[in-house]
Amino acid sequence: LGFGTGLNVNNANAGSIPKVTIAGSQIYGGDDGIVVSHTAAGTAYAGQLKITDSLFEQMNNGGITLSTGSNAAIGADLVRSQVSFVGTTAISLTAGGTSGIGFHMRDSTLSNAPSALLRTAGTSSISATLIRSHLHNSTTAVAHGLGRIRMEETNVSANVKGLVNNGSPNIVSAGNNWIVDN
């Protein structure tokens, strides 16, 4: 309780590739859960963030924040995990330069964030896939600014706004989807 950022990975060194795995962990009561910034110029390889069976709760600011710059990229997996009761946004993805972010969420829950549960932004490509997950109790479930979001068997409920598309034409619902917004 009372810490700044639970995990802060800031990679600005060309040629280095951040790889972070978190399993069966809890980050509770700080300013931010995880912040990964991969901005190394000339890094053609993707950094990796893998989170499994973990809980991020009661953050003053954000739950998980991923950002890229130059031509660096990040691949992130969130599996059987929960991000809830955060001060702003549960998951924030920002891709800059000619970089990209691939975000895959499966069997997970995002809830209780006053700004958004999932926010995408930037000037480069973002691909997000949400499978068998639940997004609930927020002002906005998905604030989509760039790239492509694919949802399969994902429940979006009890949000003021479900899906807000801020410019990107690609929000895809595939398979059996339960999307309820009340």
Side-chain angles (χ1 to χ4, degrees):
L1 290 172
F3 58 85
T5 300
L7 175 65
N8 187 358
V9 178
N10 183 2
N11 180 43
N13 297 321
S16 64
I17 304 165
K19 293 182 181 182
V20 177
T21 300
I22 297 171
S25 299
Q26 293 183 10
I27 297 179
Y28 179 88
D31 287 335
D32 294 289
I34 296 176
V35 176
V36 177
S37 176
H38 187 36
T39 60
T43 302
Y45 300 102
Q48 297 175 357
L49 174 64
K50 295 182 185 234
I51 301 169
T52 307
D53 300 318
S54 295
L55 171 67
F56 301 85
E57 193 168 86
Q58 299 293 333
M59 300 298 143
N60 293 326
N61 299 319
I64 299 171
T65 301
L66 306 177
S67 63
T68 62
S70 302
N71 64 342
I74 295 175
D77 297 315
L78 182 69
V79 179
R80 295 182 310 273
S81 295
Q82 179 175 328
V83 181
S84 60
F85 298 101
V86 297
T88 57
T89 303
I91 307 284
S92 179
L93 310 173
T94 305
T98 58
S99 65
I101 295 176
F103 177 75
H104 307 284
M105 184 170 96
R106 182 171 47 87
D107 301 317
S108 295
T109 299
L110 305 179
S111 68
N112 299 291
S115 178
L117 295 171
L118 175 62
R119 177 179 310 280
T120 64
T123 59
S124 196
S125 179
I126 295 173
S127 175
T129 304
L130 289 67
I131 301 171
R132 292 184 310 273
S133 294
H134 190 187
L135 285 69
H136 66 95
N137 294 341
S138 178
T139 300
T140 303
V142 177
H144 184 44
L146 186 68
R148 181 174 190 254
I149 293 179
R150 180 179 179 171
M151 294 189 293
E152 297 179 21
E153 299 180 31
T154 294
N155 184 341
V156 179
S157 62
N159 301 287
V160 175
K161 297 175 184 174
L163 307 174
V164 175
N165 193 348
N166 295 316
S168 179
N170 297 311
I171 296 178
V172 178
S173 176
N176 297 322
N177 284 279
W178 307 285
I179 300 177
V180 179
D181 207 19
N182 49 7

